[in-house]
Amino acid sequence: MLPGSIQISGETLSSAEVRDICAGLRENSVRLLSLRGCRLSERDFGHVCRGVAESHSLAQLNLNLGIVSNISRVKQLAEALKTNRSVQSLFLHGSPLTDAGLALLNPALSIHPSLVALDLGDCMLGDEGINLICGLLPPDGAKSGLKELTLSANPGVTSKGWGRLAIAVAHSSQLRVLNLDYNPLGDQVAGMLAVAVASSRTLEVLDLEGTGLTNQSAQTLLDMVENYPTALRTLILAENNISPELQQQISDLLSEGEEEEETEAREVTAREKNPWICQNNSSSQMVLMTSGLGDSLLAETEM
């Protein structure tokens, strides 16, 4: 049987329901477990964590909206993740972790072999928490790290913490999606992020919705998009004090870059299907030329 999903929102879970969930985890019949905003006893939360630890099929774990509500639960989740090897996406949005809780969870996150997506939005984090997260964004040449990171609505982080994150993003060898929406970043932090995006070779999506930006930030971001080749494809600037004209200019430039990339991809595909054959005029020798990009593109798709 192929692994399926268990998705429950806002319910009070009985012990019988928790036993069924744990049985599915142990039988490797669950690929996605979402208990968003659910209520369950401390004992049953421990049972779920032990099920997560034993599962080899679980790829996505959603405990958003207060499920991980105290230090005891943080410790149990950390122990589960130290044993689990299959979870790729972990969502803890709306959990009162604080920096202290993340410090307990971080050792398990940093050694997990499969984790590529992490949501710590609205988790009451500060600068110390951001420093820990930066360790999950290793530089080029180091071990693999996160590809998607959400840090929405963590107003306790200062410009110093965001500056530290910008440096980590600039040198990250993996990160593709960064969500910072609804943080009071302001123009200063936006300038740091513009430098990070210009330096990054992987970041494709940056969400800055509702982050207190003005036309000053937009102009900096526009200059970055216009003058530096980046991987960026989506930049979200809604709910900021930015003129529609500047937003449209940035959007148009990003669209042009995407169209150019698609054209190049089609040309590569055409070359692979119809390799160039060049005739040397001075002899009958045939020279076969191919791009050699097919295998690398396929490998990237399969990651």
Side-chain angles (χ1 to χ4, degrees), residues 6-13 17 21 33-38:
I6 298 174
Q7 301 184 62
I8 309 172
S9 296
E11 300 290 334
T12 298
L13 300 180
E17 289 172 317
I21 291 170
L33 175 61
S34 176
L35 304 179
R36 185 175 180 271
C38 289

Side-chain angles (χ1 to χ4, degrees), residues 227-244:
N227 296 305
Y228 295 90
T230 73
L232 195 66
R233 295 293 171 263
T234 302
L235 177 59
I236 301 172
L237 296 172
E239 296 192 32
N240 286 296
N241 189 23
I242 297 174
S243 70

Side-chain angles (χ1 to χ4, degrees), residues 48-244:
V48 170
C49 285
R50 286 190 284 277
V52 169
E54 295 176 24
S55 176
H56 301 293
S57 64
L58 187 65
Q60 181 172 319
L61 178 59
N62 184 334
L63 299 176
N64 283 353
L65 302 182
I67 301 287
V68 187
S69 55
N70 55 52
I71 290 298
S72 173
R73 292 191 175 193
V74 172
K75 290 179 179 178
Q76 292 180 80
L77 178 60
E79 288 301 313
L81 292 174
K82 284 179 182 177
T83 303
N84 176 276
R85 291 291 180 267
S86 63
V87 170
Q88 299 172 19
S89 302
L90 176 64
F91 300 93
L92 300 176
H93 200 112
S95 302
L97 284 182
T98 72
D99 291 350
L102 183 58
L104 293 173
L105 191 60
N106 185 66
L109 300 178
S110 62
I111 64 170
H112 199 284
S114 303
L115 189 67
V116 294
L118 180 64
D119 185 345
L120 295 177
D122 195 17
C123 283
M124 302 173 64
L125 301 180
D127 289 353
E128 290 303 315
I130 294 298
N131 286 339
L132 294 172
I133 291 166
C134 289
L136 304 177
L137 303 174
D140 289 341
K143 63 179 183 178
S144 61
L146 295 177
K147 293 184 178 181
E148 299 183 19
L149 174 61
T150 296
L151 294 171
S152 316
N154 280 294
V157 181
T158 70
S159 58
K160 179 180 179 181
W162 294 127
R164 176 72 179 85
L165 180 70
I167 294 171
V169 170
H171 294 284
S172 171
S173 59
Q174 301 286 324
L175 192 65
R176 294 183 177 183
V177 178
L178 178 61
N179 298 312
L180 299 178
D181 47 312
Y182 299 105
N183 285 297
L185 303 181
D187 291 330
Q188 180 184 6
V189 173
M192 299 178 191
L193 291 171
V195 174
V197 174
S199 302
S200 172
R201 291 180 289 177
T202 60
L203 192 66
E204 298 175 358
V205 178
L206 177 60
D207 187 351
L208 298 177
E209 180 176 358
T211 51
L213 308 188
T214 70
N215 282 345
Q216 177 183 329
S217 297
Q219 188 61 58
T220 300
L221 292 165
L222 176 63
D223 291 342
M224 179 269 296
V225 172
E226 190 170 21
N227 296 305
Y228 295 90
T230 73
L232 195 66
R233 295 293 171 263
T234 302
L235 177 59
I236 301 172
L237 296 172
E239 296 192 32
N240 286 296
N241 189 23
I242 297 174
S243 70

